[in-house]
Amino acid sequence: MKVLVTGGAGYIGSHACVALLEAGHDIVVLDNFANSCMTSLDRVKQITGEDFPVVEGDVNHHRVLDSLFNSHDIDAVMHFAGYKAVGESCEKPLLYYRNNVAGTLSLCEAMQKHQVALLIFSSSATVYGDPPTVPIKEDFPLTATNPYGRSKLMVEEILRDLVSAEQLTGSGAWQIALMRYFNPVGAHPSGLIGEDPNGIPNNLLPYISQVAIGRLPALSVFGSDYPTIDGTGIRDYLHVMDLAEGHVRALDYLAQGKSTSGCHTWNLGTGKGYSVLEMIRAFESASGKTVSFKMAPRRAGDIAACWADTSKAENELGWTASRGLSEMMEDSWRWQLGNPQGYRS
Ligand code: WQD
């Protein structure tokens, strides 16, 4: 199939491009490079030995989308373009609703106009808020505690309404997958592509990695009094290549038109949680480096523990995460070691 990958130059998007190409699909990438650079796509081509068109533009711009759909015979869309920093979303909510929500509306209007009905959406486990219990199932209550999470939840509701409307009119064409990511980490084993946050990393692993390479002095561990094994926060970290391959499985599932319901939701996690201290120790073991850290107060909005029930993706997609913690750490370190300043190295 020919797949439009929006945000394809980003961390998740670039790894999805590799997985799609390696699965034999063709791709077209649309990216505005606000949070990424062309280098990552050059490296995707280097890794796969495949070439593909890259369109610089914004999903909010109808003319860009019309031109792209007119120029390329797109069969499906994987939509990664969006902002994803929780803290930034609290400071700049309009930016997040414009980019994440309005951008998706614009994309869906263009898809409808050009009769492209297969959509894989990059959602997030953030839509579960602070879950009543763990592991988390797809039918758990949904809520949001920040504009980033709310933008993901709004898009999910919009996409569910799209499918419901079609079921009412009997014109059911939309086939939509809502992929709820837990905590993607790591990098392609080549070390050529990886996570390259702008400025000081918000997320745990890139922060640890930059302490290990000497770019940052020490990690602040946000909270040591949670009701967890060692008092620090627990999350379900999954290898970004496992995540990418889960998207390809979802695409194949939708393309086969396996069920009448047009909107499907899958958790993408490992089903196992690790604490912050366990992550520090695992990274030190993989890198041979000491990671300096200090205990700090809890971060506003954080929850104690979060990990996925992965049975739905396993049963319906035949997908499970296959890469373990040491592989996540080794691949992450290989990327950081080879790219001390990220893509600007
Ligand atoms: C993980 C753990 C922190 C940084 C966020 C988004 C989520 C998704 C993944 C997009 C927590 C602790 C972190 C640090 C720390 N993104 N931590 N010191 O908050 O689970 O999820 O990123 O979809 O939507 O909400 O990930 O990596 O920020 O935090 O102690 O400097 O590490 O308290 O326990 P999080 P994270």
Side-chain angles (χ1 to χ4, degrees):
M1 301 176 79
K2 179 169 280 192
V3 184
L4 167 61
V5 184
T6 75
Y11 172 45
I12 312 292
S14 56
H15 287 83
C17 287
V18 170
L20 282 165
L21 291 167
E22 290 183 341
H25 294 288
D26 296 315
I27 64 172
V28 176
V29 171
L30 172 67
D31 205 302
N32 65 5
F33 299 111
N35 222 356
S36 56
C37 63
M38 180 63 88
T39 309
S40 67
L41 296 175
D42 292 337
R43 299 209 181 155
V44 168
K45 295 177 181 178
Q46 184 180 344
I47 291 166
T48 61
E50 301 286 345
D51 196 5
F52 50 86
V54 178
V55 176
E56 182 171 0
D58 196 308
V59 288
N60 266 299
H61 298 159
H62 281 282
R63 280 196 310 280
V64 169
L65 292 173
D66 272 339
S67 163
L68 190 153
F69 280 106
N70 285 329
S71 309
H72 303 282
D73 187 13
I74 302 296
D75 300 304
V77 179
M78 273 194 196
H79 180 33
F80 299 102
Y83 295 142
K84 69 149 197 156
V86 171
E88 184 186 49
S89 77
C90 298
E91 296 157 12
K92 304 174 182 173
L94 270 183
L95 180 72
Y96 273 68
Y97 292 128
R98 161 61 57 196
N99 199 46
N100 293 5
V101 180
T104 305
L105 281 176
S106 166
L107 174 66
C108 289
E109 288 167 339
M111 288 177 71
Q112 199 157 55
K113 178 179 174 182
H114 296 271
Q115 296 178 314
V116 178
L118 284 190
L119 173 62
I120 313 272
F121 174 63
S122 166
S123 190
S124 167
T126 311
V127 301
Y128 295 116
D130 191 355
T133 60
V134 282
I136 300 173
K137 288 180 176 291
E138 286 85 350
D139 62 358
F140 268 31
L142 303 178
T143 179
T145 56
N146 57 72
Y148 163 74
R150 239 181 308 282
S151 75
K152 290 297 184 181
L153 190 47
M154 286 176 183
V155 170
E156 285 205 5
E157 301 291 8
I158 290 166
L159 296 177
R160 277 190 281 270
D161 285 345
L162 264 183
V163 168
S164 306
E166 287 204 331
Q167 281 164 351
L168 270 180
T169 59
S171 63
W174 283 106
Q175 283 289 321
I176 295 173
L178 309 176
M179 311 308 285
R180 291 183 182 157
Y181 305 170
F182 279 72
N183 289 62
V185 295
H188 187 269
S190 64
L192 290 171
I193 57 176
E195 191 167 9
D196 183 19
N198 280 338
I200 303 292
N202 297 295
N203 297 137
L204 179 66
L205 203 66
Y207 203 108
I208 287 176
S209 185
Q210 290 191 20
V211 171
I213 198 88
R215 282 177 64 179
L216 293 169
L219 169 77
S220 296
V221 176
F222 296 143
S224 54
D225 59 349
Y226 284 107
T228 63
I229 185 173
D230 58 21
T232 64
I234 290 178
R235 296 291 185 274
D236 183 335
Y237 300 94
L238 78 154
H239 197 292
V240 66
M241 282 311 297
D242 278 326
L243 181 79
E245 289 160 7
H247 284 69
V248 176
R249 288 295 180 85
L251 175 68
D252 294 342
Y253 182 95
L254 295 190
Q256 289 156 18
K258 276 196 169 178
S259 87
T260 51
S261 155
C263 192
H264 310 268
T265 306
W266 290 292
N267 286 339
L268 292 181
T270 65
K272 176 160 179 44
Y274 290 102
S275 74
V276 176
L277 293 180
E278 288 172 323
M279 293 293 280
I280 292 170
R281 279 194 289 275
F283 196 92
E284 289 182 327
S285 165
S287 64
K289 294 284 187 180
T290 299
V291 174
S292 303
F293 66 90
K294 56 186 186 298
M295 290 308 178
R298 293 182 179 190
R299 178 174 63 177
D302 272 358
I303 61 177
C306 171
W307 63 87
D309 178 307
T310 59
S311 53
K312 193 167 184 285
E314 191 168 346
N315 297 335
E316 295 176 0
L317 301 180
W319 175 89
T320 54
S322 62
R323 298 162 176 91
L325 186 60
S326 54
E327 195 169 349
M328 294 181 215
M329 299 296 118
E330 286 158 13
D331 291 346
S332 185
W333 181 236
R334 189 175 306 109
W335 151 255
Q336 188 71 82
L337 211 49
N339 305 272
Q341 299 300 322
Y343 288 112
R344 287 165 285 277
S345 297

